[in-house]
Amino acid sequence: MPSYTAPVRDMQFVLHEMLEVSQAGIPGYEDLDRDTTQAILDEAGKLASGVLAPLNAVGDAQGCRLENGVVCTPDGFRAAFDQLRRGGWTALDCDPEYGGQGLPYLMSTAVGEILSAANMAFNMYAGLTHGAYNAIHAHGSPEQKAMYLPKLVSCDWGGTMNLTEPHCGTDLGLIRTKAEPQDDGSYAITGTKIWISAGEHDLCDNIIHLVLARIPGGPEGIKGLSLFIVPKFLVNEDSSLGARNTLECVGLEHKMGIHGNATCVMSYEGAEGWLIGEPHKGMRAMFTMMNEARLGVGLQGYAQGAVAYQNALAFAKERQQGRAVTGIAAPDAPADPIIVHPDVRRGLMDQKAITEGARAFVFWGASLIDRAQRCNDPDAEGLISLLTPVIKGFLTDKGFETCVLAQQTPGGAGFTRDLGLEQFVRDARITMIYEGTNGIQSLDLVGRKLAADGGKHVMAFFDLVKTFIAENKGDEAFEAQFLTPLKSASKDLQAAAMFFMQKGMTSPDEALAGSYDFMHLFGHVCLGLMWARMARAAGKAMGSGGDTAFLQAKIATGRYYMARQLPATKLHLARIESGAAPVMALDPAAF
């Protein structure tokens, strides 16, 4: 059975050496001293390794069961969820007015990685609830907030997001679910939603569904969609539970992975619902959930890679096979551990470099969200909006790739269930698909985010990279190993953006055919920036007498990324500049 240990030392490095959170000037960050963050992460790590990780294989093997309209979660999930609630882990960054702890989103992100790595399917129940909390907190009326938020914060009630229908996924303008106005101000919701994660389960007393539906007579397409609160059990004025609403789970999906999370087909038959915000403005409210969800899915992707890497590394250090080509490494053993072999080492270095770079990228993204919200900073808001599809798309692709590399490390043993690595591969695969497939993320990046506000935000990113390079010159080794490769990669990204500007307006296919490569090119530049920042921070820490072994390993891993991964930007640029012709050459009938 695989194990998991929270990477607290590395998280502390990102928080305090790279991001320097205590000096970031963001309200609430001044309280994030080393002792405080250490205590939070240590306790989250204990819950993850001692409670959640052992249930990961249980959830995978048992899955969820639908019995008479009730979904039963795997053995041990309810007790673990109760423990999660009692520890206040569901309320870390929630509003204190509704029972939350008011910590920055950054700390919720760090803890989220730990819990997701330990048991992704389990953590989704709380994660979706947090998304519902956010949407109601941002768009609900004072009465709705008072009624629903305290129970969502505590996770006494669960939450979901209901978008997809059998005939439409990405094109939400085709939604048919109806919301008929009632005399009492409520709406009767009728329709079918599919692929609803945590749509029904036995972990909470109630489930608050946020449902996209269409009020008759409204505009066509997405402009006519509204968002509704539709509780499983109706809620009385005193917050006690009333009658069962006319909605139910009518089926469970049989999936490749995340078996411990219930993926439901939900049927609404005149269910009572209440409008959130204004009529026909549902997409605005739903995107409050979806944007957080996309960041969370990027986190899920690299978190699965992180736990897979831990277990692959342990195997590589213990498994004895062959001898090192440069000489015997373990003379008292019949063979050397496989970690001595260069190709095994290459795979492990790829896993380590991607995982640690992704962690820094997501933590930085979380700090941008905090800056945008706590400082009311529109520049931070614009930058994280630009980076969200990169975080979701690039990091889930690379997270899955990391899991496959980890599975490859033990050879045939990785293909068996006993070692557990194959589950990480299966679980990570969904992250590339849900909350908008990665192809959709790349189209969003190129088609909308790149040109937003006249290209202001991508130019700000280029300036950020340029400023970092200018401010850190003077060390020849650092320049050669980090700044020069970063500058080259950034130029590749600028060249790709210029290609889209020149070609995309007259021939959209030219841009859209290269969008996926652009997302990866952008992702590599972001990780290159993170590794340069981490290497610089590690160098400074070594000069102050820090943990030499850890810091030297950090710098060496950064050098590896810059030398072996970052050159991929040139491949992606070449593909982009080849244009749409090779992609669109075949007539559909020729496939």
Side-chain angles (χ1 to χ4, degrees):
M1 179 182 294
S3 62
Y4 174 69
T5 302
V8 175
R9 177 66 184 90
D10 198 61
M11 290 181 167
Q12 286 284 80
F13 171 82
V14 175
L15 292 173
H16 297 287
E17 271 73 40
M18 191 192 95
L19 294 176
E20 297 181 313
V21 289
S22 297
Q23 294 82 45
I26 300 174
Y29 275 40
E30 69 276 5
D31 297 326
L32 299 181
D33 57 80
R34 289 180 184 272
D35 289 344
T36 298
T37 58
Q38 183 81 34
I40 293 171
L41 298 176
D42 280 345
E43 288 304 311
K46 291 176 184 177
L47 176 67
S49 60
V51 178
L52 303 187
L55 291 175
N56 199 34
V58 174
D60 185 58
Q62 291 186 2
C64 296
R65 309 185 314 277
L66 177 61
E67 298 176 353
N68 300 318
V70 176
V71 170
C72 301
T73 52
D75 293 347
F77 270 43
R78 178 60 190 252
F81 205 75
D82 289 342
Q83 192 167 341
L84 189 78
R85 280 191 289 245
R86 287 195 303 271
W89 296 108
T90 63
L92 286 178
D93 66 327
C94 296
D95 191 338
E97 182 177 350
Y98 303 104
Q101 298 179 37
L103 288 172
Y105 177 67
L106 174 59
M107 288 310 300
S108 178
T109 299
V111 170
E113 180 197 325
I114 292 172
L115 302 182
S116 186
N119 195 324
M120 176 176 156
F122 174 90
N123 197 51
M124 288 172 63
Y125 292 102
L128 288 155
T129 302
H130 193 276
Y133 156 84
N134 269 345
I136 296 173
H137 189 270
H139 302 282
S141 67
E143 294 76 16
Q144 289 170 338
K145 293 178 184 180
M147 176 172 287
Y148 297 106
L149 292 188
K151 295 291 188 179
L152 290 172
V153 168
S154 66
C155 265
D156 289 329
W157 297 350
T160 71
M161 52 193 297
N162 284 233
L163 289 78
T164 306
E165 298 183 3
H167 59 282
C168 71
T170 300
D171 190 354
L172 295 175
L174 299 176
I175 280 177
R176 297 174 186 162
T177 298
K178 292 183 179 180
E180 298 278 357
Q182 305 297 297
D183 292 339
D184 63 358
S186 68
Y187 290 77
I189 311 297
T190 301
T192 299
K193 298 288 186 177
I194 63 171
W195 303 340
I196 308 306
S197 298
E200 169 61 31
H201 55 82
D202 56 3
L203 303 180
C204 300
D205 296 333
N206 200 8
I207 300 174
I208 310 304
H209 300 285
L210 298 192
V211 182
L212 272 182
R214 192 177 300 280
I215 300 173
E220 295 295 321
I222 62 171
K223 293 182 179 180
L225 295 177
S226 302
L227 186 63
F228 298 88
I229 296 173
V230 189
K232 174 181 173 181
F233 288 97
L234 301 177
V235 181
N236 299 318
E237 290 186 4
D238 63 357
S239 294
S240 63
L241 298 184
R244 172 69 185 257
N245 210 347
T246 53
L247 61 92
E248 65 176 327
C249 171
V250 295
L252 290 179
E253 301 292 349
H254 301 283
K255 303 166 296 185
M256 176 179 176
I258 56 167
H259 295 156
N261 193 271
T263 304
C264 303
V265 179
M266 300 297 300
S267 176
Y268 295 86
E269 298 291 343
E272 289 189 51
W274 288 266
L275 180 68
I276 299 178
E278 301 175 43
H280 318 310
K281 302 294 184 182
M283 290 304 297
R284 180 188 304 169
M286 182 57 80
F287 268 110
T288 300
M289 295 181 69
M290 291 177 68
N291 284 336
E292 178 188 318
R294 286 171 176 173
L295 290 166
V297 171
L299 181 149
Q300 286 179 334
Y302 86 80
Q304 291 304 290
V307 65
Y309 164 64
Q310 283 190 11
N311 286 273
L313 177 62
F315 186 97
K317 288 181 175 181
E318 295 173 3
R319 173 69 166 174
Q320 295 176 348
Q321 195 82 24
R323 291 294 189 184
V325 294
T326 54
I328 295 174
D332 296 332
D336 291 334
I338 64 172
I339 198 171
V340 304
H341 303 307
D343 191 62
V344 173
R345 191 74 65 88
R346 172 199 56 80
L348 293 171
M349 286 298 292
D350 280 342
Q351 295 166 53
K352 181 178 175 64
I354 292 294
T355 296
E356 293 180 9
R359 177 175 299 122
F361 186 17
V362 168
F363 282 22
W364 176 49
S367 74
L368 289 174
I369 291 175
D370 281 329
R371 186 174 297 279
Q373 295 178 348
R374 292 175 175 243
C375 301
N376 195 27
D377 186 335
D379 292 335
E381 176 68 30
L383 184 55
I384 190 57
S385 180
L386 170 71
L387 295 176
T388 293
V390 182
I391 290 172
K392 194 282 182 185
F394 180 69
L395 295 189
T396 58
D397 277 355
K398 288 299 179 181
F400 177 74
E401 181 182 307
T402 299
C403 290
V404 172
L405 282 169
Q407 185 188 32
Q408 187 75 13
T409 304
F415 196 67
T416 68
R417 289 192 173 184
D418 291 344
L419 206 58
L421 287 167
E422 58 87 30
Q423 183 188 345
F424 301 134
V425 173
R426 289 186 288 105
D427 286 353
R429 186 65 183 86
I430 187 57
T431 65
M432 303 160 71
I433 298 173
Y434 62 11
E435 302 307 333
T437 66
N438 288 355
I440 294 297
Q441 300 304 317
S442 70
L443 296 181
D444 178 46
L445 174 63
V446 170
R448 294 174 54 200
K449 301 297 177 62
L450 199 58
D453 297 325
K456 172 184 176 181
H457 307 300
V458 73
M459 294 305 298
F461 178 82
F462 291 142
D463 286 343
L464 189 152
V465 175
K466 183 178 179 181
T467 299
F468 176 84
I469 292 172
E471 291 178 346
N472 289 279
K473 288 182 176 179
D475 181 326
E476 289 187 8
F478 185 74
E479 284 193 43
Q481 296 166 359
F482 290 92
L483 298 186
T484 298
L486 177 60
K487 184 177 181 180
S488 176
S490 182
K491 286 184 176 181
D492 290 340
L493 184 62
Q494 293 176 59
M498 183 62 67
F499 177 85
F500 291 154
M501 290 176 63
Q502 293 173 343
K503 301 284 188 178
M505 294 298 292
T506 56
S507 178
D509 279 353
E510 296 287 344
L512 300 184
S515 61
Y516 208 93
D517 280 286
F518 186 81
M519 180 179 73
H520 272 251
L521 200 169
F522 207 153
H524 275 298
V525 174
C526 288
L527 259 63
L529 176 61
M530 294 302 102
W531 273 114
R533 291 179 64 181
M534 286 192 286
R536 175 52 74 202
K540 290 180 179 178
M542 285 181 65
S544 302
D547 181 349
T548 301
F550 172 87
L551 297 170
Q552 286 178 339
K554 181 64 69 176
I555 294 171
T557 306
R559 286 197 298 262
Y560 179 89
Y561 185 87
M562 306 306 272
R564 297 287 297 239
Q565 288 282 341
L566 194 57
T569 60
K570 301 197 179 304
L571 167 66
H572 293 300
L573 177 60
R575 288 174 172 170
I576 290 167
E577 291 181 338
S578 72
V583 176
M584 306 301 291
L586 286 183
D587 185 89
F591 280 87

